[in-house]
Amino acid sequence: MHLIEKAEEDNRTVITEFILLGFGNLPELQILLFLVFLVIYTVTMFGNVLIIVLVVADQHLHTPMYFFLGNLSCLETCYTSTILPRMLASLLTGDRTISVSGCFAQFYCFCSLAATECYLLAAMSYDRYLAICKPLRYAAMMNGRLFLQLVAGSWMSGFLICVIMMCFMSQLTFCGPNEIDHFFCDFSPMLKLSCSDSSMITLVSFILAFLDLPCPFLLTVTSYVCIIATILRIPSTTGRQKAFSTCSSHLIVVTLFYGTIMIVYMIPKSSNLRALNKVFSVFYTVLTPMLNPLIYSLRNKEVKEALRKVIS
């Protein structure tokens, strides 16, 4: 019996490339989708690079809040570039193949940057908590050393967690089929195609996902519960509005990011909801990085003032 199983394993053809189906079921919309995603990518890159330039160039923006914002924009630039250029090429040429190693590389970059964003958003919420709940001690507590540690810790945690994941994923063997019904290489669609025993990596991914998502999410939620409680205790309406305006942009970004990511990974993986899953995946991988600089620039007087100086 074992010999038969061994023979069957030996006869399996190990595949070397995947086919990302993406939006291939809409052939009549390929050019339109290409143009839409090209515009989104251009706006995303321009908006985020502009934020980085403003934060570096304007002395008034050399504060912890804008240092975090510059890092977030840098992250969003990299995040979008791991997915959209490959998707644009696929929509334009019709070639949906990607090598297994290329798929692994895309997943590692995407996973690392998504994890880093969770930690970075938590660090930004802690910064807003100190600014609103402990304003007299803010300058002393959020000093240069602390915010550098928070940013460095966010980047290192995100990439380290995904290194552990990739060590386990590199042990997987793929024997076919090789079609991934998604527009980028994500964990679950890749794992479904593996012909290896996936029980260990499933357990490891669960543990790492618990460290990666709920922990920073709970820190973010806790920070905002304290912030809202503090704002509600401010006696004047003007004071409440001013306090809320300092964290409203970040709150919108957090809601968009976590809202869409939770919908994607909590929706049952049935065939009927697969198209809906793709749509919400577009929200958090493509649209959120484009909206972040717009949200921060449109709702922030200091960013708009810095932009006026650059233009003038």
Side-chain angles (χ1 to χ4, degrees), residues 247-268:
C247 63
S248 57
S249 298
H250 181 251
L251 185 57
I252 293 168
V253 168
V254 166
T255 305
L256 280 172
F257 179 75
Y258 278 113
T260 52
I261 209 169
M262 284 180 176
I263 289 170
V264 166
Y265 292 105
M266 288 182 178
I267 281 180

Side-chain angles (χ1 to χ4, degrees), residues 4 126 153 202 219 252 268 273:
I4 294 170
Y126 179 66
T202 303
L219 179 58
I252 293 168
L273 296 172

Side-chain angles (χ1 to χ4, degrees), residues 75 108 112 115-117 119-120 148-164:
L75 187 147
Y108 173 69
S112 302
T116 302
E117 183 158 1
Y119 289 108
L120 196 57
L148 282 172
Q149 286 174 341
L150 287 171
V151 168
S154 297
W155 285 93
M156 288 171 65
S157 300
F159 279 81
L160 183 61
I161 279 176
C162 291
V163 164
I164 298 167

